[in-house]
């Protein structure tokens, strides 16, 4: 990646998110005092933080301010910003031009414009002897595609509690972004939820202060959302004591539903960034003429692809045969079936891909594989 991209990625990685007043999610970067954004969901907050970071970095470079180093990123930017005159160094000239472009585009978007670059004036249309009928665009609807191959789609029912659903969306995003920091806690949490809501405890003594904050923040939000029946943290012992909810919908979220939501969020974010026309169905049923029905995690249709996504936080082997059949019935190549397996090492993913022909990813390679599949 480039200098700017590396630095912004490091800043986002060190960001801290917490629940603020009115149910809003607040995002800060400890190394950058005064930078604070709010969003209605974790995803919205993160996008606003990214935008504010771009503006802040652009201004800092243009004014030759000191930049805090973040995870090793920023040393070269710091040198360029402080010691090199912008009119004599071609590297800094390129960086400054990029930052000016960022500022122009951000300001234009905030004013409601479509971008920072001036728009070319449209050329006058050439005279035509006769107006030609425009070809009808093919439907992007997932349901229409299934109908073409002789199957039916039954969409999942929308949530009856919008406030609760927003809280779960925020939680899923935060858990996915911070999974490496609470992987050990999640193993205990999932096991306790699968056992019907058993008590468990987990020591944080081996974790950094930042990771301790991540684990306790997740538990606090889980408790506020009703997903934990009880939760306490002993700062002296650095130990969590908790009990998951025994309600079915809560157990479903804790044992894997959160990961499905997170993967869907990442897919939607990539599609929006690219401005790709699409249709997306989460947790629909595929209905067969003989009465068979299969629920899948995600179906996405773009002008160029039809993609099936399945997310697993545990056992997955027994589902592979079923999805191989579904891919065949959908008439899509095996590579357009994406299996996202939480915590599975990449060498194992490569072996599975060679064996089954599907595309496999974990939480670390998810965005890369989605970028490739949704192109």
């Amino acid at each position: 990646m480039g200098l700017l991209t590396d630095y912004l990625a490091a800043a986002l990685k060190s960001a801290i998110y917490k629940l603020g007043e009115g149910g809003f999610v607040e995002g800060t970067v400890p190394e950058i005092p005064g930078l604070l954004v709010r969003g209605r969901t974790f995803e919205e907050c993160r996008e606003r933080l990214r935008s504010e970071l771009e503006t802040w970095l652009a201004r800092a470079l243009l004014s030759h301010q000191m930049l805090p180093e973040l995870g090793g990123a920023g040393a070269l930017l710091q040198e360029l910003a402080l010691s090199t005159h912008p009119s004599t160094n071609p590297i800094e000239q390129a960086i400054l031009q990029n930052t000016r472009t960022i500022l122009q585009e951000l300001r234009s978007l905030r004013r409601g414009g479509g971008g920072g670059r001036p728009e070319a004036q449209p050329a006058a249309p050439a005279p035509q002897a006769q107006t030609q009928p425009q070809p009808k665009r093919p439907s992007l609807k997932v349901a229409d595609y299934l109908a073409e191959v002789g199957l039916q789609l039954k969409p999942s029912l929308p949530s009856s509690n919008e406030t609760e659903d927003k809280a779960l969306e925020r939680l899923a995003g935060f858990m996915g972004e911070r999974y490496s920091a609470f992987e050990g806690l999640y193993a205990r949490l999932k096991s306790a939820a699968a056992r019907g809501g058993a008590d468990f405890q987990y020591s944080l003594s081996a974790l950094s202060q930042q990771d301790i904050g991540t684990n306790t923040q997740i538990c606090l939000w889980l408790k506020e959302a009703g997903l934990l029946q009880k939760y306490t943290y002993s700062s002296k012992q650095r130990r969590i004591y908790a009990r998951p909810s025994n309600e079915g919908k809560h157990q479903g979220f804790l044992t894997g539903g959160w990961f499905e939501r997170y993967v869907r969020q990442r897919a939607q974010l990539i599609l929006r960034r690219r401005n790709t026309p699409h249709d997306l169905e989460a947790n629909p049923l595929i209905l067969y003429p003989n009465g068979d029905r299969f629920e899948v995690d995600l179906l996405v249709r773009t002008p160029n692809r039809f993609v099936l996504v399945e997310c697993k936080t545990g056992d997955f082997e027994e589902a592979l045969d079923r999805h191989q059949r579904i891919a065949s019935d959908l008439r899509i190549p095996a590579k357009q079936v994406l299996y996202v397996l939480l915590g599975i090492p990449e060498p194992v993913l490569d072996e599975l891909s060679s064996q089954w022909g599907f595309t496999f990813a974990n939480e670390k390679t998810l965005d890369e594989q989605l970028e490739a599949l949704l192109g």
Side-chain angles (χ1 to χ4, degrees):
M1 294 189 291
L3 296 176
L4 293 172
T5 308
D6 286 344
Y7 193 82
L8 289 171
L12 283 172
K13 186 175 181 180
S14 67
I16 294 176
Y17 302 90
K18 66 178 182 179
L19 187 62
E21 296 181 1
F24 282 82
V25 182
E26 296 181 348
T28 60
V29 177
E31 296 84 354
I32 306 175
L35 185 66
L36 171 68
V37 299
R38 293 182 176 88
R40 288 166 294 183
T41 65
F42 169 76
E43 184 181 353
E44 181 180 281
C45 182
R46 190 174 188 276
E47 282 305 293
R48 289 184 176 179
L49 184 59
R50 182 193 299 275
S51 175
E52 289 300 318
L53 280 168
E54 289 174 346
T55 304
W56 169 84
L57 179 57
R59 288 172 176 164
L61 288 173
L62 288 169
S63 59
H64 282 207
Q65 296 177 12
M66 181 171 290
L67 304 176
E69 287 199 29
L70 298 166
L76 183 53
L77 277 179
Q78 183 73 85
E79 179 182 348
L80 290 171
L82 293 178
S83 63
T84 308
H85 194 281
S87 65
T88 61
N89 186 283
I91 297 177
E92 189 173 3
Q93 281 286 344
I95 292 175
L96 292 177
Q97 183 58 47
N98 286 339
T99 56
R100 288 190 183 99
T101 301
I102 290 171
L103 278 174
Q104 290 170 355
E105 291 179 348
L106 287 172
R107 288 168 181 164
S108 178
L109 286 171
R110 286 167 182 162
R111 290 195 303 265
R117 298 180 179 85
E119 297 182 0
Q121 294 298 322
Q128 294 183 356
Q130 184 177 1
T131 302
Q132 298 294 325
Q134 295 295 320
K136 184 179 180 181
R137 291 185 179 181
S139 170
L140 281 179
K141 291 292 185 182
V142 169
D144 291 343
Y145 181 90
L146 263 65
E148 292 172 7
V149 298
L151 303 173
Q152 287 185 301
L153 177 80
K154 183 178 181 181
S156 62
L157 295 176
S159 172
S160 58
N161 189 325
E162 185 178 352
T163 301
E164 181 183 57
D165 193 59
K166 286 182 178 180
L168 295 180
E169 285 291 298
R170 178 196 67 198
L171 263 169
F174 192 84
M175 292 165 72
E177 291 286 346
R178 296 292 190 271
Y179 178 71
S180 61
F182 86 108
E183 183 175 0
L185 170 64
Y186 179 63
R188 296 285 182 89
L189 178 61
K190 179 184 175 183
S191 175
R195 288 183 283 123
D199 288 333
F200 75 94
Q201 54 182 278
Y202 181 69
S203 173
L204 305 179
S205 58
L207 302 184
S208 68
Q209 194 60 44
Q210 182 174 349
D211 287 350
I212 289 175
T214 296
N215 280 263
T216 53
Q217 181 68 70
I218 287 174
C219 286
L220 180 61
W221 283 356
L222 288 172
K223 180 68 167 61
E224 291 175 350
L227 293 151
L228 291 180
Q229 294 185 58
K230 70 175 186 178
Y231 158 66
T232 56
Y233 171 63
S234 170
S235 57
K236 183 177 181 180
Q237 299 176 341
R238 292 193 175 185
R239 184 173 293 272
I240 284 173
Y241 300 86
R243 180 195 300 158
S245 167
N246 56 10
E247 289 190 36
K249 63 178 182 179
H250 292 161
Q251 290 178 355
F253 180 88
L254 293 173
T255 56
W258 72 269
F259 192 49
E260 295 174 15
R261 286 175 179 259
Y262 174 66
V263 172
R264 173 175 51 77
Q265 290 174 12
R266 302 310 301 173
Q268 289 174 321
L269 183 60
I270 288 171
L271 290 165
R272 284 201 301 269
R273 283 179 178 170
R274 291 179 170 184
N275 199 26
T276 302
H278 67 277
D279 186 29
L280 183 150
E281 291 284 349
N283 305 116
L285 280 174
I286 297 178
L287 307 178
Y288 282 71
N290 65 358
D292 288 348
R293 52 177 57 200
F294 298 108
E295 182 178 344
V296 296
D297 290 342
L298 197 64
L299 294 174
V300 186
R301 190 180 187 187
T302 72
N304 302 319
R305 295 285 177 86
F306 188 94
V307 178
L308 186 156
V309 183
E310 192 69 15
C311 313
K312 299 292 183 184
T313 60
D315 295 337
F316 60 88
E317 291 88 349
E318 64 181 18
L320 291 167
D321 282 324
R322 180 171 72 251
H323 287 95
Q324 195 171 58
R325 171 194 169 181
I326 294 174
S328 176
D329 294 336
L330 291 174
R331 301 176 191 172
I332 61 174
K335 280 291 183 184
Q336 290 173 215
V337 176
L338 173 60
Y339 254 74
V340 191
L341 306 178
L342 186 68
I344 300 297
E346 291 177 37
V348 177
L349 300 178
D350 293 339
E351 292 178 9
L352 288 168
S353 182
S354 298
Q355 180 181 355
W356 290 91
F358 297 157
T359 298
F360 286 87
N362 57 24
E363 70 283 357
K364 297 176 182 177
T365 62
L366 171 62
D367 281 9
E368 176 186 350
Q369 297 294 4
L370 282 172
E371 291 275 8
L373 280 175
L374 298 176

